[in-house]
Amino acid sequence: ICCVVNATSLFVCLKARNGPESDGLLKKNDESVDFMSSTKTVVISLLVSIVYLLGGMIIFYLCQMNQAEEDQWSMLDCLYFSVVTVSTVGYGDLTPTTSLGRWFAIFYMLVGIGLVGLALGIVGGFLMARQEALLMKAVETAGKKRKAKKKLSPTQWRLIGAVAILVTFIGVGALGFYFLDDMDNVTDAFFLTAQTVTTVGYGSPLIQNDATKAFAIPYILVSTLLVAAALGTFADVFIERQQERMAERILKADFDLEAILAMDTDGDASIDMGEFMEYMLVKMGKVSKIDIEKVKSQFRELDVD
């Protein structure tokens, strides 16, 4: 019954052979794919991040509490240092002065950068996805009201959203650092903001007061994630455009004997639609041969007769 093997035909074959029972398998797969973007996962990720940061705050405070007055840290200093550490911003204005504090910092860096980075990455991806969904919904609503006007493409709206995020967070950061830290000039404020959102952390200018540290804590956690995602959007769009051009060239290209022979994967001296689609999708970079083989292997396991 199921002669042609590809992603679409596998779905159709499962539905045809197993009927409603196949829905359960497909729904389970969908649930595993959606798990990383589910609200429950985002909440768990937030809780993990908060617990890890608060734990770091308490332990760094205990490590520094018996030091000379100039080396003692407040709870705000400890939370600020924890955020600067796991975000890899690393301003360099605070450093543990005790051996215990430095050993804990080593552990905190090695574990926290991966753990909190993953957790906050899930949150950032969730926020970006919601932002794009709201943006596209607004576009559709506006499109219905202005059918006569030319619509922007989804890619163009993605770029607009990315630019909006960059402008917003760089502007908010520069204003916050400039006014809260009483900076002498706007250049220093933008310079510190750029260091923060890119996690470069040159260490100059330094944050001078507690109010700026309190502002920097949430700003670092949110801005580093969303600005990185926004910058990634530009790279994604460029790669997508390159793939589209490559796909167009492949679709318009003539097929030589070598290409035709390569399509005949089962060696029966004929090419069916499945073989043609498999060859073209691999050539266009939509899937890899490994992916195709995995799908075929799964089909063979399911096709018991």
Side-chain angles (χ1 to χ4, degrees), residues 66-279:
N66 294 322
Q67 300 303 297
E69 186 175 350
E70 63 272 12
D71 291 329
Q72 290 181 4
W73 291 359
S74 66
M75 282 291 188
L76 178 63
D77 289 333
C78 295
L79 180 58
Y80 167 75
F81 179 76
S82 299
V83 170
V84 168
T85 299
V86 298
S87 65
T88 71
V89 170
Y91 288 133
D93 50 350
L94 288 176
T95 304
T97 56
T98 66
S99 295
L100 181 60
R102 291 184 176 183
W103 275 111
F104 177 70
I106 293 170
F107 166 82
Y108 199 74
M109 283 184 276
L110 294 175
V111 176
I113 290 172
L115 179 65
V116 178
L118 174 61
L120 293 179
I122 292 172
V123 176
F126 179 84
L127 293 175
M128 282 295 292
R130 292 298 178 271
Q131 183 262 345
E132 286 187 5
L134 290 173
L135 187 60
M136 294 309 299
K137 186 177 181 180
V139 171
E140 291 175 2
T141 303
K144 291 177 181 177
K145 294 179 180 179
R146 303 179 180 179
K147 290 183 179 179
K149 292 187 177 181
K150 185 178 179 181
K151 296 180 183 179
L152 294 174
S153 68
T155 299
Q156 290 172 322
W157 279 110
R158 284 175 61 201
L159 291 173
I160 290 172
V163 171
I165 287 173
L166 286 174
V167 172
T168 300
F169 279 98
I170 290 175
V172 168
L175 288 172
F177 289 131
Y178 180 76
F179 288 108
L180 292 173
D181 220 45
D182 295 325
M183 291 187 168
D184 296 331
N185 56 72
V186 177
T187 301
D188 286 346
F190 276 100
F191 186 55
L192 182 58
T193 301
Q195 293 179 53
T196 302
V197 298
T198 58
T199 72
V200 172
Y202 288 129
S204 176
L206 296 176
I207 291 176
Q208 302 296 330
N209 58 57
D210 288 345
T212 313
K213 290 177 182 177
F215 166 76
I217 289 169
Y219 180 75
I220 289 170
L221 292 173
V222 177
S223 66
T224 52
L225 292 172
L226 295 186
V227 168
L231 293 174
T233 298
F234 295 111
D236 290 341
V237 169
F238 175 77
I239 293 171
E240 288 169 8
R241 290 286 175 86
Q242 293 297 107
Q243 289 178 336
E244 288 173 4
R245 293 192 185 101
M246 182 177 69
E248 288 177 5
R249 288 197 300 269
I250 292 171
L251 289 171
K252 293 178 181 178
D254 295 327
F255 297 103
D256 55 19
L257 179 60
E258 182 180 355
I260 293 172
L261 291 174
M263 293 181 199
D264 185 19
T265 55
D266 58 8
D268 63 353
S270 65
I271 301 170
D272 59 25
M273 184 180 291
E275 290 174 324
F276 180 75
M277 288 181 65
E278 178 183 327
Y279 176 84

Side-chain angles (χ1 to χ4, degrees), residues 43 49-50 56 62 100 245 273 277 281:
V43 172
S49 302
I50 291 170
L62 294 174
L100 181 60
R245 293 192 185 101
M273 184 180 291
M277 288 181 65
L281 290 173

